[in-house]
Amino acid sequence: MCDISVFVRKNGMEEKVLENVDRIEEVAGGGIRLVNIFGEEETIRARMILYDNSEKRMIFAPM
């Protein structure tokens, strides 16, 4: 499986937003919509700073 965990980095700390994410898309207004394999969704206003496939994680920074 290639499902990843998404984190937002604030003040040097990483907060997990959603696990098992398999869909990431930009939405109107500059948001990022995350959807996992269970259909759970989160929308964040952030920019991507790291994608690490070997660790199955993606890190965003708030905008």
Side-chain angles (χ1 to χ4, degrees):
M1 284 206 152
C2 294
D3 304 321
I4 62 171
S5 294
V6 173
F7 298 83
V8 172
R9 185 180 291 164
K10 298 177 187 175
N11 303 319
M13 302 292 290
E14 294 177 5
E15 177 183 330
K16 188 180 288 184
V17 176
L18 196 60
E19 294 181 321
N20 300 309
V21 173
D22 66 350
R23 184 177 183 103
I24 300 171
E25 61 185 13
E26 184 178 14
V27 294
I32 303 290
R33 180 175 167 250
L34 311 167
V35 183
N36 71 9
I37 60 175
F38 305 110
E40 299 170 321
E41 296 183 25
E42 290 286 338
T43 300
I44 58 175
R45 282 196 46 81
R47 62 180 175 83
M48 186 184 71
I49 57 174
L50 174 71
Y51 171 73
D52 187 335
N53 189 55
S54 63
E55 291 189 21
K56 305 293 186 225
R57 58 192 275 130
M58 183 175 259
I59 301 173
F60 288 84
M63 294 179 69

